[in-house]
Amino acid sequence: MTIKKHIPNLITLLNLFCGCIALVFASQSNFEMAFYFVFLGIFFDFFDGFFARLLKVSSPLGLQLDSLADMVTSGVVPGYVMFVLLQKCQNPAFPNLFLPYMGFIITLGSCYRLANFNIDTRQTDSFIGLPTPANTLFIISLPLILKHSDSLALLEMLSNQWFLMLIAVFSAFILNAEIPLFSLKIKDVRFKKNALPICFILFSVLLIAFFQYLGIPLIIIAYVLLSVVNNKFLKK
């Protein structure tokens, strides 16, 4: 029992470790490696609770540790990525030295959401507001879309400081909005109990296969829309 109870917390710490590495790569403008380590961190975040329930070792410490790890991987990292993007699109002749720091609005919104999540008893089986990992994937996909996309319209939008600021502000809003969203965490091994998240994950894989990095924001948009449909028509 002594060793078993530490397994979920170790997985959570791996999430934090991946977030730290992602932050280093983001500081070097290596957004692809930052993306991979964020994705790996979210993978660990996805399964720490699952193993805690499977091993029957859930604890208040695990809940707090999970939020603290997420604060780095899904709070500091996306805020810093937006900071760098806002820096890169500054006009060298007339730079706005303060504006890039507004990218950390995402970090502030993530912090508020994570703290609120720990005390909100309504979010045991689903989410209210966009989860921080989903928001992080959206934000960190932007520089990759900017790098790999051939669409001039996308390139112009993602190089516009005011469009990026709009994304940052909306990001902080949607994290804390009173919008019920279904949970993507798989709580047991039965398909019937997890049909919606499993099917959505498979659908997400197809979007990534066809659209690559552009598929990530499409997945987030689909997640929100499907949640609305689920709330109105599918949920009993």
Side-chain angles (χ1 to χ4, degrees), residues 82-107:
M82 183 58 74
F83 166 80
V84 174
L85 287 176
L86 286 167
Q87 268 194 328
K88 287 180 178 295
C89 66
Q90 293 289 296
N91 185 338
F94 304 100
N96 187 329
L97 299 179
F98 174 74
L99 187 65
Y101 292 97
M102 298 304 292
F104 288 108
I105 288 175
I106 298 170
T107 302

PDB file of all heavy atoms in Angstrom, residues 82-107:
ATOM      1  N   MET A  82       2.193  32.855 -25.661  1.00  0.00           N
ATOM      2  CA  MET A  82       1.500  34.034 -26.182  1.00  0.00           C
ATOM      3  C   MET A  82       2.360  35.280 -26.033  1.00  0.00           C
ATOM      4  O   MET A  82       2.366  36.154 -26.914  1.00  0.00           O
ATOM      5  CB  MET A  82       0.157  34.220 -25.467  1.00  0.00           C
ATOM      6  CG  MET A  82      -0.669  35.377 -26.001  1.00  0.00           C
ATOM      7  SD  MET A  82      -1.057  35.247 -27.778  1.00  0.00           S
ATOM      8  CE  MET A  82      -2.310  33.960 -27.749  1.00  0.00           C
ATOM      9  N   PHE A  83       3.099  35.371 -24.926  1.00  0.00           N
ATOM     10  CA  PHE A  83       4.037  36.487 -24.725  1.00  0.00           C
ATOM     11  C   PHE A  83       5.048  36.545 -25.875  1.00  0.00           C
ATOM     12  O   PHE A  83       5.309  37.611 -26.444  1.00  0.00           O
ATOM     13  CB  PHE A  83       4.754  36.316 -23.384  1.00  0.00           C
ATOM     14  CG  PHE A  83       5.960  37.199 -23.209  1.00  0.00           C
ATOM     15  CD1 PHE A  83       5.823  38.528 -22.845  1.00  0.00           C
ATOM     16  CD2 PHE A  83       7.246  36.688 -23.394  1.00  0.00           C
ATOM     17  CE1 PHE A  83       6.941  39.349 -22.680  1.00  0.00           C
ATOM     18  CE2 PHE A  83       8.365  37.488 -23.234  1.00  0.00           C
ATOM     19  CZ  PHE A  83       8.207  38.822 -22.882  1.00  0.00           C
ATOM     20  N   VAL A  84       5.618  35.395 -26.236  1.00  0.00           N
ATOM     21  CA  VAL A  84       6.606  35.346 -27.315  1.00  0.00           C
ATOM     22  C   VAL A  84       5.966  35.712 -28.651  1.00  0.00           C
ATOM     23  O   VAL A  84       6.554  36.465 -29.452  1.00  0.00           O
ATOM     24  CB  VAL A  84       7.248  33.942 -27.392  1.00  0.00           C
ATOM     25  CG1 VAL A  84       8.175  33.846 -28.612  1.00  0.00           C
ATOM     26  CG2 VAL A  84       8.032  33.638 -26.125  1.00  0.00           C
ATOM     27  N   LEU A  85       4.767  35.198 -28.924  1.00  0.00           N
ATOM     28  CA  LEU A  85       4.089  35.516 -30.177  1.00  0.00           C
ATOM     29  C   LEU A  85       3.819  37.015 -30.299  1.00  0.00           C
ATOM     30  O   LEU A  85       4.001  37.605 -31.367  1.00  0.00           O
ATOM     31  CB  LEU A  85       2.766  34.746 -30.271  1.00  0.00           C
ATOM     32  CG  LEU A  85       2.861  33.243 -30.541  1.00  0.00           C
ATOM     33  CD1 LEU A  85       1.474  32.619 -30.510  1.00  0.00           C
ATOM     34  CD2 LEU A  85       3.543  32.967 -31.874  1.00  0.00           C
ATOM     35  N   LEU A  86       3.400  37.619 -29.201  1.00  0.00           N
ATOM     36  CA  LEU A  86       3.125  39.061 -29.219  1.00  0.00           C
ATOM     37  C   LEU A  86       4.413  39.863 -29.395  1.00  0.00           C
ATOM     38  O   LEU A  86       4.409  40.931 -30.016  1.00  0.00           O
ATOM     39  CB  LEU A  86       2.413  39.468 -27.934  1.00  0.00           C
ATOM     40  CG  LEU A  86       0.939  39.057 -27.843  1.00  0.00           C
ATOM     41  CD1 LEU A  86       0.407  39.226 -26.424  1.00  0.00           C
ATOM     42  CD2 LEU A  86       0.087  39.875 -28.824  1.00  0.00           C
ATOM     43  N   GLN A  87       5.508  39.353 -28.858  1.00  0.00           N
ATOM     44  CA  GLN A  87       6.803  40.011 -29.060  1.00  0.00           C
ATOM     45  C   GLN A  87       7.224  39.970 -30.524  1.00  0.00           C
ATOM     46  O   GLN A  87       7.712  40.957 -31.075  1.00  0.00           O
ATOM     47  CB  GLN A  87       7.873  39.341 -28.204  1.00  0.00           C
ATOM     48  CG  GLN A  87       8.079  39.952 -26.845  1.00  0.00           C
ATOM     49  CD  GLN A  87       9.358  39.459 -26.211  1.00  0.00           C
ATOM     50  OE1 GLN A  87       9.797  38.322 -26.427  1.00  0.00           O
ATOM     51  NE2 GLN A  87       9.972  40.299 -25.386  1.00  0.00           N
ATOM     52  N   LYS A  88       7.035  38.818 -31.150  1.00  0.00           N
ATOM     53  CA  LYS A  88       7.504  38.609 -32.515  1.00  0.00           C
ATOM     54  C   LYS A  88       6.736  39.440 -33.538  1.00  0.00           C
ATOM     55  O   LYS A  88       7.271  39.747 -34.603  1.00  0.00           O
ATOM     56  CB  LYS A  88       7.405  37.121 -32.885  1.00  0.00           C
ATOM     57  CG  LYS A  88       8.450  36.243 -32.207  1.00  0.00           C
ATOM     58  CD  LYS A  88       8.290  34.798 -32.616  1.00  0.00           C
ATOM     59  CE  LYS A  88       9.354  33.905 -31.986  1.00  0.00           C
ATOM     60  NZ  LYS A  88      10.716  34.200 -32.450  1.00  0.00           N
ATOM     61  N   CYS A  89       5.495  39.797 -33.234  1.00  0.00           N
ATOM     62  CA  CYS A  89       4.708  40.535 -34.229  1.00  0.00           C
ATOM     63  C   CYS A  89       4.726  42.040 -33.974  1.00  0.00           C
ATOM     64  O   CYS A  89       3.926  42.789 -34.551  1.00  0.00           O
ATOM     65  CB  CYS A  89       3.267  40.018 -34.280  1.00  0.00           C
ATOM     66  SG  CYS A  89       2.317  40.307 -32.785  1.00  0.00           S
ATOM     67  N   GLN A  90       5.642  42.509 -33.114  1.00  0.00           N
ATOM     68  CA  GLN A  90       5.764  43.937 -32.865  1.00  0.00           C
ATOM     69  C   GLN A  90       6.384  44.655 -34.068  1.00  0.00           C
ATOM     70  O   GLN A  90       7.256  44.102 -34.757  1.00  0.00           O
ATOM     71  CB  GLN A  90       6.625  44.180 -31.631  1.00  0.00           C
ATOM     72  CG  GLN A  90       6.019  43.724 -30.319  1.00  0.00           C
ATOM     73  CD  GLN A  90       4.858  44.591 -29.900  1.00  0.00           C
ATOM     74  OE1 GLN A  90       5.023  45.778 -29.639  1.00  0.00           O
ATOM     75  NE2 GLN A  90       3.681  44.001 -29.830  1.00  0.00           N
ATOM     76  N   ASN A  91       5.937  45.856 -34.295  1.00  0.00           N
ATOM     77  CA  ASN A  91       6.540  46.710 -35.323  1.00  0.00           C
ATOM     78  C   ASN A  91       7.854  47.266 -34.777  1.00  0.00           C
ATOM     79  O   ASN A  91       7.855  47.999 -33.782  1.00  0.00           O
ATOM     80  CB  ASN A  91       5.590  47.848 -35.680  1.00  0.00           C
ATOM     81  CG  ASN A  91       6.109  48.699 -36.830  1.00  0.00           C
ATOM     82  OD1 ASN A  91       7.296  48.730 -37.121  1.00  0.00           O
ATOM     83  ND2 ASN A  91       5.202  49.400 -37.489  1.00  0.00           N
ATOM     84  N   PRO A  92       8.994  46.923 -35.399  1.00  0.00           N
ATOM     85  CA  PRO A  92      10.287  47.382 -34.867  1.00  0.00           C
ATOM     86  C   PRO A  92      10.393  48.901 -34.766  1.00  0.00           C
ATOM     87  O   PRO A  92      11.087  49.427 -33.892  1.00  0.00           O
ATOM     88  CB  PRO A  92      11.303  46.836 -35.881  1.00  0.00           C
ATOM     89  CG  PRO A  92      10.606  45.697 -36.555  1.00  0.00           C
ATOM     90  CD  PRO A  92       9.161  46.080 -36.596  1.00  0.00           C
ATOM     91  N   ALA A  93       9.705  49.607 -35.655  1.00  0.00           N
ATOM     92  CA  ALA A  93       9.778  51.069 -35.642  1.00  0.00           C
ATOM     93  C   ALA A  93       8.961  51.661 -34.491  1.00  0.00           C
ATOM     94  O   ALA A  93       9.322  52.696 -33.932  1.00  0.00           O
ATOM     95  CB  ALA A  93       9.291  51.623 -36.978  1.00  0.00           C
ATOM     96  N   PHE A  94       7.837  50.985 -34.149  1.00  0.00           N
ATOM     97  CA  PHE A  94       6.962  51.492 -33.079  1.00  0.00           C
ATOM     98  C   PHE A  94       6.555  50.341 -32.159  1.00  0.00           C
ATOM     99  O   PHE A  94       5.392  49.941 -32.114  1.00  0.00           O
ATOM    100  CB  PHE A  94       5.716  52.155 -33.679  1.00  0.00           C
ATOM    101  CG  PHE A  94       6.024  53.261 -34.647  1.00  0.00           C
ATOM    102  CD1 PHE A  94       5.973  53.035 -36.021  1.00  0.00           C
ATOM    103  CD2 PHE A  94       6.372  54.523 -34.191  1.00  0.00           C
ATOM    104  CE1 PHE A  94       6.255  54.056 -36.917  1.00  0.00           C
ATOM    105  CE2 PHE A  94       6.664  55.541 -35.086  1.00  0.00           C
ATOM    106  CZ  PHE A  94       6.606  55.307 -36.452  1.00  0.00           C
ATOM    107  N   PRO A  95       7.497  49.792 -31.431  1.00  0.00           N
ATOM    108  CA  PRO A  95       7.177  48.643 -30.571  1.00  0.00           C
ATOM    109  C   PRO A  95       6.338  49.062 -29.362  1.00  0.00           C
ATOM    110  O   PRO A  95       6.540  50.142 -28.798  1.00  0.00           O
ATOM    111  CB  PRO A  95       8.549  48.133 -30.137  1.00  0.00           C
ATOM    112  CG  PRO A  95       9.423  49.353 -30.178  1.00  0.00           C
ATOM    113  CD  PRO A  95       8.916  50.183 -31.329  1.00  0.00           C
ATOM    114  N   ASN A  96       5.402  48.193 -29.003  1.00  0.00           N
ATOM    115  CA  ASN A  96       4.625  48.379 -27.777  1.00  0.00           C
ATOM    116  C   ASN A  96       5.229  47.446 -26.733  1.00  0.00           C
ATOM    117  O   ASN A  96       4.931  46.246 -26.714  1.00  0.00           O
ATOM    118  CB  ASN A  96       3.148  48.054 -28.027  1.00  0.00           C
ATOM    119  CG  ASN A  96       2.277  48.410 -26.826  1.00  0.00           C
ATOM    120  OD1 ASN A  96       2.723  48.349 -25.681  1.00  0.00           O
ATOM    121  ND2 ASN A  96       1.030  48.779 -27.103  1.00  0.00           N
ATOM    122  N   LEU A  97       6.095  47.964 -25.895  1.00  0.00           N
ATOM    123  CA  LEU A  97       6.865  47.137 -24.978  1.00  0.00           C
ATOM    124  C   LEU A  97       5.992  46.474 -23.917  1.00  0.00           C
ATOM    125  O   LEU A  97       6.362  45.428 -23.362  1.00  0.00           O
ATOM    126  CB  LEU A  97       7.952  47.985 -24.304  1.00  0.00           C
ATOM    127  CG  LEU A  97       8.981  48.612 -25.250  1.00  0.00           C
ATOM    128  CD1 LEU A  97       9.990  49.435 -24.463  1.00  0.00           C
ATOM    129  CD2 LEU A  97       9.691  47.535 -26.068  1.00  0.00           C
ATOM    130  N   PHE A  98       4.837  47.059 -23.630  1.00  0.00           N
ATOM    131  CA  PHE A  98       3.977  46.518 -22.579  1.00  0.00           C
ATOM    132  C   PHE A  98       3.064  45.414 -23.094  1.00  0.00           C
ATOM    133  O   PHE A  98       2.768  44.452 -22.381  1.00  0.00           O
ATOM    134  CB  PHE A  98       3.127  47.651 -21.976  1.00  0.00           C
ATOM    135  CG  PHE A  98       2.106  47.170 -20.977  1.00  0.00           C
ATOM    136  CD1 PHE A  98       2.490  46.761 -19.712  1.00  0.00           C
ATOM    137  CD2 PHE A  98       0.754  47.104 -21.316  1.00  0.00           C
ATOM    138  CE1 PHE A  98       1.554  46.301 -18.793  1.00  0.00           C
ATOM    139  CE2 PHE A  98      -0.184  46.658 -20.407  1.00  0.00           C
ATOM    140  CZ  PHE A  98       0.223  46.261 -19.132  1.00  0.00           C
ATOM    141  N   LEU A  99       2.605  45.522 -24.330  1.00  0.00           N
ATOM    142  CA  LEU A  99       1.582  44.626 -24.861  1.00  0.00           C
ATOM    143  C   LEU A  99       1.930  43.138 -24.757  1.00  0.00           C
ATOM    144  O   LEU A  99       1.065  42.341 -24.388  1.00  0.00           O
ATOM    145  CB  LEU A  99       1.263  44.987 -26.314  1.00  0.00           C
ATOM    146  CG  LEU A  99       0.089  44.226 -26.935  1.00  0.00           C
ATOM    147  CD1 LEU A  99      -1.212  44.573 -26.232  1.00  0.00           C
ATOM    148  CD2 LEU A  99      -0.009  44.515 -28.422  1.00  0.00           C
ATOM    149  N   PRO A 100       3.162  42.699 -25.070  1.00  0.00           N
ATOM    150  CA  PRO A 100       3.453  41.264 -24.983  1.00  0.00           C
ATOM    151  C   PRO A 100       3.166  40.655 -23.623  1.00  0.00           C
ATOM    152  O   PRO A 100       2.758  39.489 -23.537  1.00  0.00           O
ATOM    153  CB  PRO A 100       4.950  41.188 -25.321  1.00  0.00           C
ATOM    154  CG  PRO A 100       5.188  42.365 -26.202  1.00  0.00           C
ATOM    155  CD  PRO A 100       4.305  43.444 -25.641  1.00  0.00           C
ATOM    156  N   TYR A 101       3.328  41.436 -22.557  1.00  0.00           N
ATOM    157  CA  TYR A 101       3.081  40.904 -21.219  1.00  0.00           C
ATOM    158  C   TYR A 101       1.606  40.582 -20.988  1.00  0.00           C
ATOM    159  O   TYR A 101       1.269  39.806 -20.084  1.00  0.00           O
ATOM    160  CB  TYR A 101       3.573  41.894 -20.158  1.00  0.00           C
ATOM    161  CG  TYR A 101       5.079  42.031 -20.146  1.00  0.00           C
ATOM    162  CD1 TYR A 101       5.695  43.076 -20.822  1.00  0.00           C
ATOM    163  CD2 TYR A 101       5.878  41.114 -19.480  1.00  0.00           C
ATOM    164  CE1 TYR A 101       7.076  43.198 -20.838  1.00  0.00           C
ATOM    165  CE2 TYR A 101       7.264  41.236 -19.480  1.00  0.00           C
ATOM    166  CZ  TYR A 101       7.849  42.281 -20.164  1.00  0.00           C
ATOM    167  OH  TYR A 101       9.227  42.393 -20.174  1.00  0.00           O
ATOM    168  N   MET A 102       0.748  41.141 -21.811  1.00  0.00           N
ATOM    169  CA  MET A 102      -0.676  40.852 -21.689  1.00  0.00           C
ATOM    170  C   MET A 102      -0.991  39.407 -22.080  1.00  0.00           C
ATOM    171  O   MET A 102      -2.076  38.912 -21.808  1.00  0.00           O
ATOM    172  CB  MET A 102      -1.483  41.828 -22.551  1.00  0.00           C
ATOM    173  CG  MET A 102      -1.334  43.288 -22.146  1.00  0.00           C
ATOM    174  SD  MET A 102      -1.778  43.571 -20.404  1.00  0.00           S
ATOM    175  CE  MET A 102      -3.540  43.248 -20.468  1.00  0.00           C
ATOM    176  N   GLY A 103      -0.020  38.736 -22.722  1.00  0.00           N
ATOM    177  CA  GLY A 103      -0.206  37.324 -23.016  1.00  0.00           C
ATOM    178  C   GLY A 103      -0.394  36.493 -21.758  1.00  0.00           C
ATOM    179  O   GLY A 103      -1.015  35.420 -21.790  1.00  0.00           O
ATOM    180  N   PHE A 104       0.131  36.987 -20.640  1.00  0.00           N
ATOM    181  CA  PHE A 104       0.009  36.253 -19.378  1.00  0.00           C
ATOM    182  C   PHE A 104      -1.392  36.350 -18.778  1.00  0.00           C
ATOM    183  O   PHE A 104      -1.636  35.785 -17.699  1.00  0.00           O
ATOM    184  CB  PHE A 104       1.063  36.737 -18.387  1.00  0.00           C
ATOM    185  CG  PHE A 104       2.456  36.298 -18.746  1.00  0.00           C
ATOM    186  CD1 PHE A 104       3.383  37.218 -19.230  1.00  0.00           C
ATOM    187  CD2 PHE A 104       2.842  34.969 -18.640  1.00  0.00           C
ATOM    188  CE1 PHE A 104       4.661  36.816 -19.578  1.00  0.00           C
ATOM    189  CE2 PHE A 104       4.121  34.562 -18.989  1.00  0.00           C
ATOM    190  CZ  PHE A 104       5.033  35.491 -19.457  1.00  0.00           C
ATOM    191  N   ILE A 105      -2.296  37.036 -19.459  1.00  0.00           N
ATOM    192  CA  ILE A 105      -3.709  36.965 -19.077  1.00  0.00           C
ATOM    193  C   ILE A 105      -4.169  35.515 -19.089  1.00  0.00           C
ATOM    194  O   ILE A 105      -4.998  35.095 -18.276  1.00  0.00           O
ATOM    195  CB  ILE A 105      -4.569  37.824 -20.043  1.00  0.00           C
ATOM    196  CG1 ILE A 105      -4.323  39.307 -19.785  1.00  0.00           C
ATOM    197  CG2 ILE A 105      -6.055  37.495 -19.909  1.00  0.00           C
ATOM    198  CD1 ILE A 105      -5.038  40.219 -20.755  1.00  0.00           C
ATOM    199  N   ILE A 106      -3.620  34.740 -20.016  1.00  0.00           N
ATOM    200  CA  ILE A 106      -3.939  33.316 -20.099  1.00  0.00           C
ATOM    201  C   ILE A 106      -3.512  32.606 -18.826  1.00  0.00           C
ATOM    202  O   ILE A 106      -4.242  31.760 -18.285  1.00  0.00           O
ATOM    203  CB  ILE A 106      -3.258  32.681 -21.326  1.00  0.00           C
ATOM    204  CG1 ILE A 106      -3.772  33.322 -22.614  1.00  0.00           C
ATOM    205  CG2 ILE A 106      -3.473  31.167 -21.355  1.00  0.00           C
ATOM    206  CD1 ILE A 106      -2.981  32.940 -23.854  1.00  0.00           C
ATOM    207  N   THR A 107      -2.330  32.942 -18.322  1.00  0.00           N
ATOM    208  CA  THR A 107      -1.834  32.337 -17.082  1.00  0.00           C
ATOM    209  C   THR A 107      -2.723  32.701 -15.901  1.00  0.00           C
ATOM    210  O   THR A 107      -3.043  31.848 -15.058  1.00  0.00           O
ATOM    211  CB  THR A 107      -0.384  32.796 -16.814  1.00  0.00           C
ATOM    212  OG1 THR A 107       0.432  32.435 -17.930  1.00  0.00           O
ATOM    213  CG2 THR A 107       0.170  32.149 -15.559  1.00  0.00           C
TER     214      THR A 107
END
